[in-house]
Amino acid sequence: MKQPLVTTLNLKDYTHGTSEQRKEFAQKFGESLRNIGFIILEGHGVDHNLLDKNYDVFQKFFGLPVETKSKYDTNEGGVRGYTGFGKEKAKDAKVADLKEFWHVGQQVPDGHPLSYIYPKNVWVEEIPEMKSLNLGLYTELERVAKIMLEALAMYFDLRQDFFTDMITNGNSIIRAIHYPPIGEDADPNAVRAGAHEDINLITILPEATESGLELLSDGEWHPVEAEKGQLIVDAGDMLSRITNEFIPATTHRVVNPAGAAKNTSRFSMPFFVHPYPNALLQTIPSTITDENPEKYPTITAGDFLYQRLVEIGLIKE
């Protein structure tokens, strides 16, 4: 029987397992990221009702008139709130992606050092339940992210909080994405999400409402599907950078549907796990060898993010 390309892991093996089970989970997680850049995760404890309710409110929002949604398009770079259709493109792409999206970010108390850096979240007056549902989901996905990064630290034989320290009050983002039906006037070269690598450390992605996600491996595209109750986890550029490319940031895309499916929308809610802006993206010493010398200089997470947002068209220099 052919082995699946993407490994499925159960987080309970780490959170409730024996010492050996925890080590085995960490080893499989690290190896899977190293080999393919993706895993599928079960046993994470995120309430599926919470996921469903968040999808409901985002579908309500994206169904509002354009002039109403545009009221919430207030931040350069789409840092919070709404970013309209066709404003983002994949790095080096010639045409924009066929999507619109909404950002919910980290909240810190007034007076916190990062309160002067992070903008306030934007909330939709037409959907009053949106705030509590979004923040509830943010808390849950951040919880899962911390556990996954703790396991990754075990894989690299680092102190337990090596990665989790970086994302405490980190610049992580829920991005709710709406890929509308493919109109007859769509650019023939445009796709829902062009081939790209994520910018951040890791991404946690609940199952989308429709298929379309594909990853690139050995020059071929492969579909990645999460069943109900599963999360997809993948590695981003920041993690690849600090591991000296020991772990790759795997290229992926969202393809356009064919046939009658062109008339349907697709919704997804990736959680992009980012360090706090002044965190140093510094190569882990054990990943530097004679055969694999250090590839990147140290840079702050904030500076690296800024560079990438310019490259994908969300910030104009």
Side-chain angles (χ1 to χ4, degrees), residues 51-296:
L51 293 169
D52 286 344
K53 288 177 180 177
N54 272 276
Y55 269 126
D56 286 346
V57 296
F58 284 128
Q59 289 185 39
K60 282 183 188 177
F61 172 75
F62 289 119
L64 293 171
V66 173
E67 57 270 21
T68 304
K69 291 186 288 189
S70 295
K71 291 192 307 183
Y72 302 103
D73 187 354
T74 57
N75 292 286
E76 184 188 54
V79 182
R80 299 288 188 272
Y82 178 62
T83 296
F85 183 81
K87 289 192 176 180
E88 183 181 78
K89 63 182 180 65
K91 181 184 174 185
D92 300 325
K94 300 269 193 285
V95 294
D97 289 345
L98 302 175
K99 69 188 181 194
E100 56 183 341
F101 53 90
W102 180 272
H103 276 169
V104 179
Q106 186 70 260
Q107 290 205 152
V108 293
D110 290 341
H112 187 283
L114 290 169
S115 67
Y116 304 100
I117 298 173
Y118 295 157
K120 299 289 187 184
N121 278 312
V122 178
W123 304 114
V124 180
E125 61 186 42
E126 291 84 358
I127 310 175
E129 69 272 28
M130 188 177 192
K131 178 179 179 179
S132 62
L133 288 169
N134 287 182
L135 293 179
L137 180 60
Y138 191 104
T139 297
E140 279 293 275
L141 294 178
E142 190 173 47
R143 173 186 61 80
V144 175
K146 287 179 177 178
I147 298 169
M148 299 304 293
L149 289 174
E150 185 180 290
L152 195 62
M154 180 182 287
Y155 173 72
F156 280 106
D157 197 25
L158 299 166
R159 58 181 170 84
Q160 187 178 59
D161 53 4
F162 178 86
F163 292 110
T164 57
D165 277 354
M166 296 172 70
I167 70 161
T168 298
N169 293 318
N171 197 17
S172 300
I173 288 281
I174 291 176
R175 171 180 280 195
I177 310 172
H178 174 219
Y179 304 94
I182 310 297
E184 294 297 325
D185 58 346
D187 188 312
N189 297 309
V191 294
R192 284 185 155 174
H196 66 282
E197 300 78 46
D198 290 342
I199 299 170
N200 40 289
L201 288 171
I202 60 171
T203 299
I204 298 178
L205 176 66
E207 80 276 8
T209 61
E210 300 288 341
S211 60
L213 177 64
E214 296 182 343
L215 68 83
L216 184 65
S217 177
D218 295 328
E220 295 185 10
W221 289 101
H222 304 267
V224 185
E225 299 283 354
E227 297 177 5
K228 198 170 183 66
Q230 293 179 329
L231 303 174
I232 295 170
V233 181
D234 70 270
D237 285 330
M238 290 185 181
L239 184 60
S240 182
R241 186 183 181 104
I242 64 177
T243 63
N244 210 28
E245 296 184 359
F246 185 83
I247 289 177
T250 299
T251 304
H252 53 285
R253 66 185 183 182
V254 178
V255 297
N256 296 345
K262 285 186 176 182
N263 299 318
T264 61
S265 285
R266 181 182 191 269
F267 298 88
S268 67
M269 297 185 301
F271 181 62
F272 297 123
V273 182
H274 281 266
Y276 59 89
N278 286 334
L280 295 179
L281 302 181
Q282 193 167 22
T283 309
I284 296 169
S286 63
T287 65
I288 303 170
T289 64
D290 291 340
E291 296 76 27
N292 189 37
E294 187 170 13
K295 294 180 171 64
Y296 302 103

